Amino acid sequence: MADLSVTFTGIKFENPFLLSSAPPTESESNIVRAFEAGWSGVVTKTIGVHPVVNVKGPKTNFMRTDPASGLISMKKKAGAALHSSWNWELISDKPLDWWIGRLSRIKNAHPEKVLIASIMAGSGSDEEMRHWQSLAKACQDEGADALELNLSCPHMDRPDMGSNIGKDDELISVVTQVVKEVASVPVWAKLTPSTTDIVVEARGAFLGGADAISSSNTFTSLPVIDPETLEFEMNVEGLVSTGGLGGPAILPLSLAKMAQMTGAFPDKDFSGIGGIAEFPHALNYFLLGCGTVQVCTAAMLDHAVGPTVIKNLVRGMEEFLEKNAHRGWKSLEDFRGIRRDRIVSHSKIKRPDEAHYHGGYEDEAPAATAEAKAAK
């Protein structure tokens, strides 16, 4: 029999599919609905100390591609295919006090499910470090099974928050270490993809004691401009700021980031995020070494919490394991990471005539030069 359960950072999940920290997990009712739909775990909307006020009007929208014209737009059009989601929504606008009581109620109602609390504070001062610890202790006291550190929100105005921390490996390490000092549950670090070499940031998280890394958060981006009005399709009184791009468009981008990290740290735990709607999408992350995956955009478009999405993911994994039963595959661990070794440097990809390719260096290969000198 196929076994969909996984053990990730020491926690038992009934399946490897989670709802990520996003609008679908912003309320108690949504989280409960998600558990009842079949998601094994939920990462709450990011909980902070300071109150936030979101922008006026829509905070999230979806871009689609018109197959006839190739135009990418937020305007709905018959036959258009989903391209991506775009949001400039900040963290939870509900204070910590609002979550206290609700987290424990959710966990008590669904003890078999995994509740991960996403938290975020600032950096650069003892006060902000205390905020990280206060959030961590409050959430784990409420029954949270793990903590996910939001080091990746792409549109925070404060220079000491979100992805502004996630681009600095030393800050990542310090924040992670501070939380680990008080954490009695596993700590996951959620990193931003908007960085030059994400392996550097991942190393900082692991040096700080992170039990796992979640990646990727959305990519820093702008909505498109309407060619008729010359206005950004999503704006407030004509003005726009950067937001986060998610959904199908970021699947290959997120996979590249994940491959870098799982290749560098093959023995560490990773939770893959980005562009997952069906099992074949999730399979990419599993084959690269992820132990769990998280879903957002697809769930938002499916009754807010993805009841159909999770059913398809579970069925897809069951069918995949049945199809590969002859290989002896009975669970995720039997095939996790088996395509990680196929990713190599560009110079290792076969050329039609390898004798004339030297990795972009001088025309004369080093080996040939040595042979020529020896002949003299």
Side-chain angles (χ1 to χ4, degrees), residues 195-268:
T195 182
T196 302
D197 184 358
I198 199 169
V199 169
V200 173
E201 285 74 34
R203 182 176 291 110
F206 287 132
L207 287 174
D211 298 283
I213 284 175
S214 304
S215 180
S216 288
N217 203 321
T218 52
F219 285 69
T220 302
S221 57
L222 285 172
V224 295
I225 296 174
D226 187 324
E228 299 299 325
T229 66
L230 304 186
E231 297 286 352
F232 284 98
E233 287 193 339
M234 200 157 169
N235 66 79
V236 175
E237 297 177 352
L239 300 180
V240 71
S241 183
T242 55
L245 187 78
I250 73 167
L251 176 61
L253 299 169
S254 297
L255 289 175
K257 293 292 183 178
M258 184 55 69
Q260 287 180 274
M261 292 186 291
T262 59
F265 307 104
D267 299 324
K268 297 293 187 179

Side-chain angles (χ1 to χ4, degrees), residues 98-333:
W98 184 92
W99 287 94
I100 299 301
R102 287 176 171 83
L103 290 176
S104 58
R105 190 157 59 228
I106 293 167
K107 186 60 186 176
N108 289 336
H110 296 277
E112 77 288 358
K113 300 288 187 176
V114 180
L115 182 63
I116 302 103
S118 173
I119 59 174
M120 186 172 80
S123 60
S125 72
D126 290 342
E127 181 182 16
E128 290 298 337
M129 294 302 107
R130 287 193 292 271
H131 287 162
W132 279 106
Q133 292 187 330
S134 296
L135 289 164
K137 289 188 288 187
C139 291
Q140 67 186 18
D141 288 348
E142 281 287 293
D145 298 289
L147 303 168
E148 186 178 82
L149 312 183
N150 185 337
L151 309 170
S152 52
C153 183
H155 39 264
M156 298 301 295
D157 278 340
R158 281 181 50 170
D160 66 334
M161 277 188 162
S163 62
N164 297 318
I165 297 178
K167 296 174 185 176
D168 186 323
D169 59 304
E170 292 186 8
L171 282 180
I172 291 171
S173 188
V174 168
V175 168
T176 306
Q177 186 174 2
V178 163
V179 174
K180 286 290 290 185
E181 287 176 0
V182 300
S184 58
V185 297
V187 175
W188 307 358
K190 187 173 184 178
L191 299 184
T192 175
S194 301
T195 182
T196 302
D197 184 358
I198 199 169
V199 169
V200 173
E201 285 74 34
R203 182 176 291 110
F206 287 132
L207 287 174
D211 298 283
I213 284 175
S214 304
S215 180
S216 288
N217 203 321
T218 52
F219 285 69
T220 302
S221 57
L222 285 172
V224 295
I225 296 174
D226 187 324
E228 299 299 325
T229 66
L230 304 186
E231 297 286 352
F232 284 98
E233 287 193 339
M234 200 157 169
N235 66 79
V236 175
E237 297 177 352
L239 300 180
V240 71
S241 183
T242 55
L245 187 78
I250 73 167
L251 176 61
L253 299 169
S254 297
L255 289 175
K257 293 292 183 178
M258 184 55 69
Q260 287 180 274
M261 292 186 291
T262 59
F265 307 104
D267 299 324
K268 297 293 187 179
D269 285 328
F270 294 89
S271 187
I273 311 171
I276 299 168
E278 303 285 347
F279 179 73
H281 305 149
L283 180 61
N284 283 276
Y285 289 98
F286 296 147
L287 294 176
L288 290 179
C290 290
T292 60
V293 293
Q294 301 182 31
V295 179
C296 174
T297 297
M300 285 195 286
L301 289 167
D302 175 28
H303 299 86
V305 297
T308 305
V309 173
I310 182 57
K311 286 181 174 61
N312 289 340
L313 287 169
V314 167
R315 182 170 61 249
M317 186 168 180
E318 289 173 341
E319 292 174 350
F320 176 80
L321 287 171
E322 290 172 7
K323 181 179 178 181
N324 289 280
H326 66 285
R327 302 176 187 265
W329 295 356
K330 297 180 180 179
S331 70
L332 172 57
E333 280 305 305

Side-chain angles (χ1 to χ4, degrees), residues 50-117:
H50 307 291
V52 300
V53 179
N54 269 298
V55 297
K56 179 181 178 182
K59 297 179 288 292
T60 302
N61 213 329
F62 303 91
M63 290 192 276
R64 296 174 172 83
T65 303
D66 179 7
S69 65
L71 186 68
I72 298 173
S73 174
M74 292 180 178
K75 297 178 181 178
K76 293 183 179 180
K77 189 172 183 179
L82 179 66
H83 173 275
S84 56
S85 61
W86 190 87
N87 86 88
W88 54 1
E89 180 166 327
L90 299 176
I91 66 174
S92 175
D93 57 5
K94 302 176 180 69
L96 175 61
D97 288 347
W98 184 92
W99 287 94
I100 299 301
R102 287 176 171 83
L103 290 176
S104 58
R105 190 157 59 228
I106 293 167
K107 186 60 186 176
N108 289 336
H110 296 277
E112 77 288 358
K113 300 288 187 176
V114 180
L115 182 63
I116 302 103

